[in-house]
Amino acid sequence: MSTAVFPALPGLAWSVKKTPTWQTRTQTSVSGKETRLADWSYPRWKWSLTYDILRDNPTYDELHTLAGFYLQRQGSFDSFLYQDPDDNSVTSQDIGAGDGSTTVFQLVRSFGGFSEPVLAPNVISLVTVAGTPTTAYTVDPTTGLLTFTSAPASGAALQASFSYYFRCRFVDDSYDFEQFMLNLWQLQKLEFISIK
């Protein structure tokens, strides 16, 4: 599990696609009635990026930066961290309520009323217990579990402000880097998905 962060490079074209994906098993009886079973409690996210220009020269070398990052991951083998430019932080996010005995809480992010766990927190800027800032906690950067040194009081609202990454892997083991001019390359489709 790598801690390398996907590079932010110029040349990224529009549009960028971000797709939530669920896994549901559906069984249809002979009468047409369906039974559905959701296998996942939260989605996997898939990004599809296009790079119109990747320069290959001593001053600007986006081609080697991106291709090298992909090669270091050995295609879809190794994971990496992706900071989505439009979905990477929360402020005063509710993460639970104390019960007087529980010390471990999962960092989450809300998205249109839906909450899902954050598994790769980046920077925790503020944690509050019943509105009071605290530093009496640790955060596991590989699970997003926040552990208080002592259990918050029963009914105490817990909130956190933090930035986060998505832990991802590339979808395919090969991508086509295409040279269209001297020292200029493009990559028509680069896909990666979040992993749990």
Side-chain angles (χ1 to χ4, degrees):
M1 185 179 341
S2 171
T3 58
V5 178
F6 187 83
L9 300 170
L12 180 61
W14 297 99
S15 65
V16 172
K17 293 181 183 176
K18 182 178 177 182
T19 308
T21 303
W22 293 91
Q23 183 166 308
T24 305
R25 285 185 267 174
T26 304
Q27 182 177 7
T28 305
S29 69
V30 291
S31 69
K33 183 177 179 180
E34 287 185 348
T35 302
R36 291 176 301 285
L37 177 65
D39 289 332
W40 300 344
S41 56
Y42 59 94
R44 290 176 71 178
W45 294 89
K46 180 179 179 182
W47 289 264
S48 183
L49 310 179
T50 299
Y51 287 90
D52 281 342
I53 296 176
L54 294 168
R55 295 171 286 191
D56 179 21
N57 64 54
T59 307
Y60 304 101
D61 201 0
E62 297 96 8
L63 172 66
H64 287 192
T65 300
L66 186 56
F69 185 85
Y70 174 73
L71 294 170
Q72 289 170 354
R73 306 288 77 74
Q74 297 177 307
S76 64
F77 173 71
D78 195 10
S79 67
F80 58 91
L81 300 174
Y82 177 64
Q83 187 169 27
D84 186 316
D86 301 307
D87 182 7
N88 61 36
S89 65
V90 292
T91 302
S92 299
Q93 171 70 54
D94 291 324
I95 58 170
D99 62 7
S101 62
T102 302
T103 58
V104 180
F105 295 85
Q106 177 69 56
L107 291 176
V108 297
R109 73 164 179 88
S110 293
F111 196 87
F114 177 78
S115 291
E116 67 179 299
V118 170
L119 304 177
N122 183 11
V123 176
I124 311 297
S125 56
L126 180 66
V127 173
T128 61
V129 177
T132 303
T134 182
T135 57
Y137 64 86
T138 59
V139 176
D140 185 331
T142 61
T143 63
L145 293 176
L146 184 141
T147 304
F148 291 98
T149 54
S150 60
S154 182
L158 310 175
Q159 292 186 324
S161 298
F162 56 93
S163 61
Y164 52 87
Y165 299 111
F166 290 88
R167 178 157 297 286
C168 297
R169 71 165 176 82
F170 290 106
V171 171
D172 294 316
D173 282 327
S174 66
Y175 287 104
D176 296 323
F177 291 86
E178 178 185 350
Q179 185 175 18
F180 64 92
M181 211 176 222
L182 180 64
N183 296 331
L184 294 176
W185 294 70
Q186 63 185 359
L187 179 58
Q188 289 300 313
K189 190 175 191 181
L190 179 67
E191 292 183 320
F192 48 90
I193 56 173
S194 63
I195 59 176
K196 298 181 180 190

